[in-house]
Amino acid sequence: MESKIKQNGSAHFTLKDKSIELPVYSGTAGPDVVDISKFYRDSGYFTLDPGYTSTASCESQITFIDGDEGVLLYRGYPIEELAEKSSFIEVAYLLLEGELPNPSAHEKFSSDITYHTMVHEQFKTFLNGFRRDAHPMAIMCGAVGALSAFYHDSTDISDPRQREIATHRMIAKMPTIAAMAYKYTIGQPYVTPLNNLDYTENFMRMMFAVPAEPYQDNKVLTSALDKIFILHMDHEQNASTSTVRLAGSSGANPFACIAAGIACLWGPAHGGANEAALLMLEEIGDVANIPEYIKRAKDKSDPFRLMGFGHRVYKNYDPRAKVMRKACHEVLDALDIRQDPTLKVALELERIALEDEYFVEKKLYPNIDFYSGITLRALGFPVEMFTVLFALSRTVGWIAQWKEMLEDPAQKIGRPRQIYTGAAERSYIPMDKR
Ligand code: SDX
C-alpha cells in the first residue's frame, strides 16, 4: 500500500516543563489525526485510550464510515449502491484490489475462488472430534484455525503468491466449512460444492440440499443473502478486524489470524449481536412487553441492553440497517410471512426507541444486527448460524485488511503500553511469615 497521508500543520502539547510539537495529517475524508508515535520519546508520557475511542491504529484505504452522517463506503462506493447493484464476488474483488473488476478480472477472480471451495477429505475427521451439539461458532473457531495444519504450503506470509493462495482458499472455503459445521450439528451428510454455481447459490445448496431429493434454488432468497453478505464484508477497524491485524502484525499465518477474528466476532457486543437480537425479540414476544424492556435498557443497575441498538461509530442510523430492513421485508413478502410476530415486535420496538429521549440523547439507532436475525431466520438459518454467516462475509474484510497491513511500509508489530497501578516493588515473603 502506498501511503497517501498528507501533512497538515502540527499540534503543540505543553506538559508541565515540556512542550512538544507533533505532525497533523489529513486523509481523503474524516477527522485529521495527530501522529503520536513519537509522543513517549519526546515527552516521557504515554497516552491512555481504553477501547480506542479516539485512536487511529493505522492508515487504511479500504472502508470509510461517517458515523454522524450514517455513511459507509467500500473503496469509495456507497454501501447502498453496492448492495443493490453488485455481487459478493465483485465486492470481494473490490475490497482486495481497490477497483471494480473488468470482465476478464472478474472471470479470473471468480474462477480462482471457485476452484478452492473444496476442503481436504481429512477435514471431516477433524470435525468428527466435536460433540454434535457444539455451537457452530465454536466449530468455526477450531476448524479455521486448523486450516494452517491442512494448507501449510500457503502460510509463508513473506511470499506474495502464498498470500494470494491463502486469500483465495480462505474466501472460498469459509462457505464449505460453515455448511459442514451446520450439517455436522444436525447429523446430515455434507454437501460438496458445485463449480457451476455462483458463490452464494453454492453456499445455500451446501446448507439446505439433502441427498434424498433434488435441490431447487430460490433466486429471491439467494439474492437477499448475497446482499446481506455484501453488507457485512468490512467495517473499518472494528474489534474483530483489529484482532486480525494485531495477530497478523506478529507474522502469524493468515488462517490463525482469521480464526482469531472469528473468536472476537462471536462476542454478543459485536458479531454475536445478531443472534442475541433475535433471541431478545423472541423473549419480548409481544409488543405489550416492550415498555418493560425499554425500562430495563435504561436502568444502569441492569446489565440488559437492547441488542441490535447502538454503535461505537454510528451516531446516526446505520446505513446497513436501512438496506437490511428493506431486504427483510422483501424476504418476508417472498415467503408470504408478512405477519411474522417477531417482525411486529421489531418494528414497534424500533418506533418506540427512536422516539424515547434516552435513545435519542445517546444517539442509539438500530444497527446492522437488528433486522438481520429476522431475515436470516426467514431464509431458513437456525439462530446459532447467524454469527457464522457474519464471519463468512467478514472474512473478506479481514483478509483485505490483513493484506493491506502486510503491504504497509509503516507496519510493525502491535504492542500497546499501559498505565500501571499495581503493587510497587516489594520483597518475597516466606510462607512462615505470611
Ligand atoms: C457490530 O465496530 C463495528 O463496526 C462493529 C460492527 C461491524 O460491522 O463490525 O458494526 C458490528 O458489532 C454492531 C454492534 C452490535 N452490538 C449490539 O447491538 C450490542 C448492543 N449494543 C451495545 O452493546 C453498544 O451499543 C455497543 C457495544 C455496540 C457500542 O458500545 P460503546 O460505543 O462502547 O458505547 P457505550 O457502551 O459507551 O454506550 C454509550 C451509552 C452508555 O450509557 P452511559 O454510560 O453513557 O450512560 O449508551 C448506552 C450505554 O449504557 N447504550 C445502550 C446501548 N448501547 C449503548 N443502552 C441500551 N441499549 C443499548 N444497546
Side-chain angles (χ1 to χ4, degrees):
M1 176 183 86
E2 181 200 341
S3 175
K4 294 181 180 168
I5 279 174
K6 295 184 291 297
Q7 179 145 5
N8 181 12
S10 56
H12 299 268
F13 296 84
T14 304
L15 302 123
K16 291 196 184 121
D17 56 348
K18 275 189 183 178
S19 69
I20 61 172
E21 181 178 347
L22 295 170
V24 171
Y25 299 139
S26 297
T28 312
D32 284 355
V33 298
V34 177
D35 178 351
I36 59 168
S37 50
K38 304 289 187 297
F39 188 88
Y40 175 56
R41 185 199 67 183
D42 296 353
S43 73
Y45 286 74
F46 290 150
T47 59
L48 177 65
D49 184 10
Y52 312 110
T53 53
S54 305
T55 300
S57 61
C58 63
E59 175 184 356
S60 182
Q61 297 165 4
I62 298 173
T63 295
F64 175 72
I65 300 170
D66 181 328
D68 295 327
E69 298 303 318
V71 169
L72 169 56
L73 308 176
Y74 285 170
R75 299 286 190 180
Y77 295 99
I79 190 68
E80 298 88 340
E81 285 190 54
L82 292 171
E84 287 306 318
K85 300 171 182 170
S86 191
S87 70
F88 177 92
I89 282 293
E90 183 172 81
V91 177
Y93 182 94
L94 171 68
L95 289 178
L96 287 166
E97 304 303 333
E99 298 298 336
L100 290 167
N102 61 32
S104 63
H106 185 279
E107 187 183 343
K108 174 162 186 337
F109 181 69
S110 192
S111 167
D112 285 340
I113 298 301
T114 296
Y115 287 92
H116 279 291
T117 48
M118 289 179 70
V119 292
H120 191 291
E121 195 61 10
Q122 196 68 18
F123 206 73
K124 294 176 181 174
T125 312
F126 178 82
L127 286 187
N128 283 339
F130 289 103
R131 285 173 42 152
R132 288 283 184 177
D133 61 353
H135 192 292
M137 279 298 280
I139 296 175
M140 294 303 288
C141 288
V144 172
L147 287 176
S148 52
F150 287 89
Y151 300 103
H152 192 71
D153 62 339
S154 60
T155 53
D156 175 358
I157 62 159
S158 65
D159 176 349
R161 179 58 184 145
Q162 289 199 32
R163 293 207 301 263
E164 184 183 38
I165 294 172
T167 295
H168 294 160
R169 279 172 163 162
M170 207 61 260
I171 294 172
K173 295 180 195 302
M174 278 298 276
T176 309
I177 297 168
M180 290 175 79
Y182 170 60
K183 288 295 196 186
Y184 181 76
T185 58
I186 60 173
Q188 285 187 1
Y190 302 131
V191 178
T192 53
L194 289 180
N195 290 348
N196 65 327
L197 299 181
D198 77 14
Y199 190 86
T200 304
E201 188 181 352
N202 216 351
F203 173 62
M204 287 286 265
R205 180 178 168 278
M206 289 189 281
M207 276 290 300
F208 299 118
V210 288
E213 58 190 40
Y215 174 77
Q216 181 56 49
D217 179 54
N218 179 326
K219 292 278 179 246
V220 172
L221 304 189
T222 300
S223 162
L225 184 61
D226 200 77
K227 190 181 292 186
I228 292 167
F229 282 162
I230 290 171
L231 295 176
H232 286 80
M233 267 184 185
D234 195 53
H235 213 239
E236 288 191 359
Q237 305 312 316
N238 58 85
S240 53
T241 297
S242 299
T243 300
V244 171
R245 278 183 172 257
L246 199 54
S249 73
S250 76
N253 76 69
F255 305 111
C257 294
I258 299 301
I262 293 172
C264 177
L265 184 77
W266 195 6
H270 189 16
N274 55 15
E275 177 175 350
L278 185 82
L279 296 175
M280 174 194 74
L281 291 170
E282 289 180 338
E283 183 187 327
I284 293 173
D286 185 284
V287 296
N289 301 329
I290 290 175
E292 174 211 336
Y293 283 85
I294 295 272
K295 183 165 169 286
R296 282 187 58 196
K298 298 195 281 192
D299 176 356
K300 288 289 163 234
S301 64
D302 187 333
F304 172 78
R305 288 193 168 180
L306 280 188
M307 302 316 281
F309 274 80
H311 199 280
R312 169 64 55 77
V313 175
Y314 289 122
K315 300 311 171 190
N316 194 320
Y317 214 103
D318 181 339
R320 303 169 300 173
K322 285 180 186 165
V323 180
M324 203 66 244
R325 193 173 194 259
K326 186 165 171 281
C328 184
H329 284 290
E330 285 166 1
V331 167
L332 296 182
D333 286 349
L335 296 169
D336 196 20
I337 39 178
R338 292 177 185 75
Q339 295 313 313
D340 180 318
T342 313
L343 176 64
K344 281 171 73 174
V345 172
L347 289 169
E348 181 60 6
L349 176 59
E350 179 189 24
R351 185 190 66 76
I352 294 174
L354 293 182
E355 291 172 1
D356 184 291
E357 80 280 359
Y358 174 92
F359 291 89
V360 172
E361 182 246 325
K362 293 184 186 297
K363 300 179 186 287
L364 300 175
Y365 292 87
N367 58 48
I368 189 166
D369 296 299
F370 187 61
Y371 283 102
S372 58
I374 300 167
T375 314
L376 294 175
R377 186 182 60 178
L379 289 173
F381 295 99
V383 67
E384 299 78 23
M385 283 295 289
F386 290 2
T387 310
V388 172
L389 300 179
F390 195 151
L392 186 163
S393 166
R394 186 55 59 89
T395 292
V396 176
W398 288 333
I399 280 281
Q401 299 268 352
W402 170 78
K403 176 176 179 285
E404 181 179 71
M405 177 205 60
L406 290 178
E407 293 165 357
D408 180 350
Q411 188 270 335
K412 56 177 66 173
I413 189 167
R415 205 284 186 208
R417 303 308 296 270
Q418 64 177 17
I419 178 168
Y420 177 68
T421 57
E425 185 171 352
R426 54 185 170 167
S427 301
Y428 182 80
I429 303 167
M431 182 63 84
D432 59 1
K433 294 275 188 304
R434 289 178 209 162

